[in-house]
Amino acid sequence: MQPAAPALAFPLRPLLGVVLVVAGFQVLSVMDGVAKYLSQDYGVAQIAWGRFFFHVCAIAPVVLWRYGYRALWPRQPRLQLARSCLQLAATVFFFGAIAFIPIVDAVAMVFISPLVVTLLSPWVLGETVGPRRIAAVLVGLGGVLLVLRPGGEVFHWASLLALGAGISFGGFLLLTRKISGNAPVAVTLTFTGLVGAIATSVALPFVWQPMSLAAFALLVSLGVLAAVGHLAIIRAYECAPAALLAPYGYSEIVMATLIGYLAFGDFPDALAWAGIAVIVGSGIYIWFREQRRAGPWAEA
């Protein structure tokens, strides 16, 4: 899950930024693979707890050392709390989905988040959305249908969880834009992880299943991988402009496909690949239109 782009604190180094953002998303794909492996024996709530709790354990000491205890209570706490709850929902939906369907199919549904942002930005952000971007959203939704194929023999109900993850993550991105610049990104990342850790800890006594030492080590690795992946992405946005880096987020599909095939024997069929291509193409087109509109010569 991609954090918001922070204000540049270091000289621009575009190549390093691209390398870091791609590496960050590959690390997050590995995290998804570990979560899918654990889901064969353990419940979603327990896995989500490990992802958030050990994420906070990994990142909080650095943030507290740099920003102090005030970092745990950022500005605009209501919006921050809503944003954190949306990421928690997206994570739980996503982990629930990959327990039953291939990782790459679930990732494809998360890629609808730019479409959600485009549809809702007039009401949440007060932005104007032109007809071309609306058309791109409609095309992207057609790609969603190719992946889901409701009513077909390959349809799985867990695909709806992945769709919920994509919608929730779209809402998360909207609120990320809305609060952008009000707090250091590392602080926001810690607060988001803390909310997820607290919420899942409440449920933990009711869902906990005993784990072997190896399984518990994998649970710990979820939080560490999440911290490493997100911090790499944050550092990438400090090295290069968001306009350059945004399309590279789709590189996640490569590692997701590789892990799904090598570890679980999953590989999308031709129609699923067509749907993924349509969703990614629509997202990139929306990004391209946003960059054009950023200039004084851009069309609506």
Side-chain angles (χ1 to χ4, degrees), residues 49-274:
W49 172 79
R51 180 257 181 268
F52 285 107
F53 181 81
F54 294 110
H55 166 90
V56 172
C57 290
I59 198 173
V62 177
V63 173
L64 291 175
W65 170 74
R66 184 169 181 181
Y67 299 104
Y69 287 98
R70 292 183 180 179
L72 300 180
W73 192 254
R75 299 175 186 175
Q76 297 182 297
R78 291 183 180 179
L79 285 178
Q80 288 276 10
L81 181 60
R83 174 186 176 277
S84 300
C85 289
L86 283 168
Q87 188 183 44
L88 173 61
T91 300
V92 171
F93 284 146
F94 185 81
F95 284 177
I98 62 175
F100 300 98
I101 65 175
I103 294 175
V104 66
D105 289 0
V107 168
M109 292 297 99
V110 175
F111 284 164
I112 72 168
S113 53
L115 313 184
V116 175
V117 171
T118 300
L119 282 176
L120 298 182
S121 60
W123 291 275
V124 179
L125 303 176
E127 297 179 352
T128 301
V129 177
R132 295 185 184 183
R133 285 197 285 169
I134 292 295
V137 169
L138 295 177
V139 170
L141 293 178
V144 170
L145 293 177
L146 283 175
V147 177
L148 291 181
R149 275 170 275 177
E153 293 182 0
V154 299
F155 174 75
H156 195 291
W157 63 267
S159 298
L160 298 178
L161 293 177
L163 186 61
I167 293 171
S168 299
F169 191 59
F172 165 84
L173 291 178
L174 274 170
L175 292 186
T176 297
R177 284 191 185 183
K178 194 172 182 67
I179 65 176
S180 178
N182 289 325
V185 175
V187 172
T188 299
L189 189 60
T190 303
F191 183 80
T192 301
L194 189 61
V195 170
I198 292 171
T200 52
S201 293
V202 171
L204 194 63
F206 305 99
V207 299
W208 180 263
Q209 297 172 261
M211 308 183 76
S212 66
L213 184 60
F216 188 77
L218 288 176
L219 193 69
V220 173
S221 76
L222 286 177
V224 175
L225 289 168
V228 170
H230 281 291
L231 288 174
I233 294 169
I234 289 171
R235 183 67 179 92
Y237 278 94
E238 292 173 340
C239 293
L244 170 66
L245 297 180
Y248 288 96
Y250 292 107
S251 65
E252 187 176 3
I253 205 77
V254 176
M255 184 62 77
T257 303
L258 188 63
I259 291 173
Y261 179 68
L262 294 178
F264 306 102
D266 297 327
F267 196 80
D269 60 21
L271 277 178
W273 273 121

Side-chain angles (χ1 to χ4, degrees), residues 286-300:
I286 288 172
W287 163 82
F288 175 73
R289 294 301 303 173
E290 288 180 347
Q291 302 316 305
R292 284 178 60 88
R293 291 184 73 249
W297 45 271
E299 300 175 12

